[in-house]
């Protein structure tokens, strides 16, 4: 199975411990973390735990969210890719496609570009017939990314960590591809 993917502008590769200095400021930004997990930022120790969690997910499952690195660069600007949403037992078994970028990288179509590659990987290399995304209803940018990836709402859940409502989006492998972005 491939461990890294390339898109037009991005390299998607597994995280490594060296990524902590690039990712810690992103995970410390309240605007970025508002709709991630229970919505809390990570301090230095929390970022180390989160990075370890991402790396262990790869070791346990053979896949996981990738570090998103612009081509020609070596520093990650965020994450994207498939993971097991074990924080939300009500939706299991399922694989979630997620995306998170540092603020300077918003608005360039990177999440959609990485998300498209992630969905293709999930249906191709992972052989899945369905993927989901778990999104807070107020996260309009993320909902728009899900829509652009051809995902549709399929239900609501409650985050066990904070009692806030979550919207579940899904896409099936045999669904028609969405129209190109901007169409
Ligand atoms: C969600 C996130 C990854 C989007 O990244 P991005 O690279 O800017 O996304 P894209 O550029 O591919 O697409 C964003 C789309 O949302 C739209 N959008 C952005 N902000 C919006 C808002 N406040 N309301 C409605 N639409 C919005 C953009 O216009 C674009 O749609 P378009 O192509 O039709 O114009 C980024 O905002 C982020 O990292 N947020 C913090 C982490 C997060 O919440 N992750 C998702 C958890 S479910």
């Amino acid at each position: 199975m491939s461990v890294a993917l390339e898109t037009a502008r991005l390299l998607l590769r597994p995280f490594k411990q060296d990524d902590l200095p690039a990712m810690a400021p992103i995970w410390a930004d309240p605007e970025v973390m508002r709709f991630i997990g229970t919505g809390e930022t990570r301090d230095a120790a929390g970022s180390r735990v989160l990075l370890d969690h991402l790396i262990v997910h790869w070791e346990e499952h053979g896949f996981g969210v990738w570090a998103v690195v612009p081509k020609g660069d070596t520093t990650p600007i965020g994450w994207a890719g498939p993971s097991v949403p074990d924080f939300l037992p009500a939706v299991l078994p399922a694989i979630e496609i997620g995306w998170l970028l540092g603020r300077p990288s918003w608005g360039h179509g990177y999440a959609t570009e990485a998300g498209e590659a992630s969905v293709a990987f999930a249906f191709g290399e992972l052989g899945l017939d369905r993927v989901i995304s778990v999104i807070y209803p107020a996260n309009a940018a993320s909902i728009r990314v899900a829509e652009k990836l051809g995902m549709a709402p399929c239900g609501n859940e409650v985050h066990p960590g904070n009692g806030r409502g979550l919207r579940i989006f899904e896409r099936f492998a045999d669904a028609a591809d969405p129209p190109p972005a901007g169409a």
Side-chain angles (χ1 to χ4, degrees):
M1 186 156 64
S2 314
V3 295
L5 296 183
E6 239 182 81
T7 69
R9 296 176 293 170
L10 304 169
L11 174 66
L12 308 180
R13 57 134 175 98
F15 276 102
K16 44 191 190 193
Q17 295 293 349
D18 293 355
D19 292 324
L20 190 60
M23 294 306 298
I26 296 174
W27 294 331
D29 182 341
E31 284 298 307
V32 172
M33 299 305 281
R34 198 170 151 210
F35 300 121
I36 298 295
T38 53
E40 280 145 28
T41 54
R42 301 287 177 130
D43 61 11
S47 282
R48 221 166 285 123
V49 170
L50 180 51
L51 185 58
D52 283 345
H53 174 78
L54 300 181
I55 291 171
V56 166
H57 188 291
W58 270 91
E59 290 165 2
E60 284 180 354
H61 299 281
F63 66 89
V65 296
W66 290 283
V68 176
V69 183
K71 281 185 178 172
D73 205 343
T74 54
T75 308
I77 57 171
W79 77 38
S83 65
V84 179
D86 47 14
F87 68 94
L88 192 57
V91 300
L92 297 176
I95 299 295
E96 177 180 19
I97 308 294
W99 36 78
L100 171 153
L101 300 171
R103 253 194 284 173
S105 304
W106 293 4
H108 301 287
Y110 288 148
T112 304
E113 189 169 321
E116 278 168 354
S118 303
V119 170
F121 176 89
F123 292 153
E125 297 227 23
L126 295 184
L128 301 178
D129 59 11
R130 175 180 181 259
V131 292
I132 66 167
S133 284
V134 179
I135 308 179
Y136 284 106
N139 194 351
S142 190
I143 288 174
R144 180 74 193 121
V145 172
E147 288 169 351
K148 289 195 290 178
L149 298 179
M151 304 180 95
C154 66
N156 299 295
E157 294 293 342
V158 171
H159 197 301
N162 59 11
R164 284 164 61 192
L166 293 163
R167 199 165 291 164
I168 315 301
F169 288 75
E170 68 180 354
R171 181 174 167 188
F172 290 94
D174 56 7
D177 279 328

